[in-house]
Amino acid sequence: MAVSFEQAGVPAGVVVTGVDFTQIDDETFASLHEAFLHHHVLCIRGSEITQQQHLDFAARWGKVHQHPYVPHIEGYPGMMMIFQVHPITETWHADTTHALAPPKITTLVAREIPALGGDTGFANQNLAYESLSAALRELLDGLYAVHYGTDLAYEQGVDAKALRSAHPVVIEHDETGERALYVNADYTRHFAGWTESESKPLLDFLFAQATRLEFMYRHRWQPGDFIMWDNRSVQHRVVADHGSATRQLNRVTLHGDPMRGPAGSSYPYEG
Ligand code: SIN
């Protein structure tokens, strides 16, 4: 298969063309895997992909996650439809970090997108960490932060224990070993052992650091784009500037493991 890779942004992003989803051999898959780990956000463009092929391709990267309360598309367990912008998706985040083992990878296929607008932004958390001073990195390396699920999840009756986890503030990627900042404005409320008001000034600084423009790749969708991102190294958000135009994507996420970092491993937070 003659596959081409074109870097799409400096902090993240690579666009791949020439992929035939009906016949991705091991060699092609290995080159996609390497590009994904290096660029954090991988887009496959110009290739037809059915819903079943989306599920099958996602399953080559890990175990498909079944959402605890958002229904899946009938006949496609693990595949959700995204069609409304929501405060959660409009705020910078990695996916469902309140979970003890948050999804490592998220994949989307653009089924109907606005002619203009509705981009998705991605911010590189390796760069966010690396560009801090050595003294602050040393402090953060020893800290945990506590992540909480949304009110909606509580209302849907998800077990409260599944909606609160402590993760290292700095994580090490389980495949590359690279360190990343791992706090986000959707789910992180305080550092473990610190009150919310004690945590707020430093968390606010870190949320701003995490999303600096120079760490960002902004993906302008084309119809049919398949995109996957690494929740262990980027945060993302939708830019909801497309008015009432329809924006419809299919989404499949893949199970991850509890996070590990210099401070230790994620744990269920009882406090
Ligand atoms: C998400 O936050 O998972 C959705 C991002 C998007 O709609 O672009």
Side-chain angles (χ1 to χ4, degrees), residues 18-264:
V19 173
D20 178 348
F21 281 101
T22 65
Q23 43 178 329
I24 298 178
D25 55 29
D26 289 347
E27 196 186 331
T28 305
F29 186 79
S31 64
L32 293 171
H33 191 186
E34 193 184 329
F36 175 65
L37 289 181
H38 189 68
H39 294 286
H40 315 284
V41 180
L42 181 141
C43 168
I44 298 178
R45 177 161 285 166
S47 303
E48 292 285 315
I49 181 168
T50 65
Q51 290 181 318
Q52 190 57 51
Q53 285 165 349
H54 182 181
L55 268 181
D56 292 345
F57 183 62
R60 284 181 78 167
W61 298 81
K63 185 167 175 241
V64 171
H65 179 258
Q66 308 294 328
H67 199 280
Y69 56 89
V70 177
H72 60 73
I73 297 174
E74 206 181 330
Y76 300 97
M79 182 177 291
M80 287 158 48
M81 177 76 82
I82 294 189
F83 55 90
Q84 272 169 337
V85 172
H86 186 275
I88 290 284
T89 58
E90 269 193 286
T91 303
W92 285 103
H93 64 288
D95 283 321
T96 57
T97 60
H98 54 79
L100 184 60
K104 62 177 180 178
I105 295 173
T106 302
T107 69
L108 292 180
V109 172
R111 293 297 175 197
E112 190 174 352
I113 50 154
L116 266 184
D119 295 355
T120 305
F122 296 93
N124 181 322
Q125 298 307 290
N126 301 135
L127 296 177
Y129 174 72
E130 284 157 17
S131 62
L132 294 168
S133 67
L136 184 50
R137 274 186 274 138
E138 194 180 336
L139 171 74
L140 298 175
D141 284 351
L143 289 181
Y144 281 88
V146 186
H147 300 234
Y148 292 77
T150 59
D151 291 344
L152 179 64
Y154 282 95
E155 285 158 18
Q156 296 293 320
V158 178
D159 178 8
K161 282 200 187 118
L163 292 174
R164 202 168 47 189
S165 302
H167 299 297
V169 168
V170 176
I171 58 165
E172 281 165 350
H173 196 285
D174 51 1
E175 293 182 81
T176 65
E178 283 185 296
R179 288 190 180 180
L181 196 56
Y182 198 68
V183 290
N184 68 78
D186 262 345
Y187 302 112
T188 316
R189 276 202 219 150
H190 60 88
F191 299 106
W194 299 29
T195 65
E196 289 194 29
S197 54
E198 286 168 345
S199 306
K200 191 172 182 326
L202 181 52
L203 276 182
D204 283 346
F205 168 79
L206 293 176
F207 296 157
Q209 166 73 7
T211 58
R212 277 167 47 181
L213 284 177
E214 58 269 43
F215 306 149
M216 186 175 139
Y217 163 62
R218 186 164 165 158
H219 186 73
R220 179 167 290 183
W221 291 93
Q222 290 191 13
D225 275 358
F226 166 93
I227 201 167
M228 58 190 292
W229 66 83
D230 193 334
N231 283 303
R232 300 159 293 185
S233 57
V234 291
Q235 293 193 29
H236 62 281
R237 60 158 290 182
V238 59
V239 183
D241 57 357
H242 53 290
S244 58
T246 303
R247 183 178 187 277
Q248 192 166 297
L249 305 108
N250 288 164
R251 171 181 154 132
V252 176
T253 59
L254 300 171
H255 277 275
D257 292 319
M259 296 298 164
R260 292 188 61 81

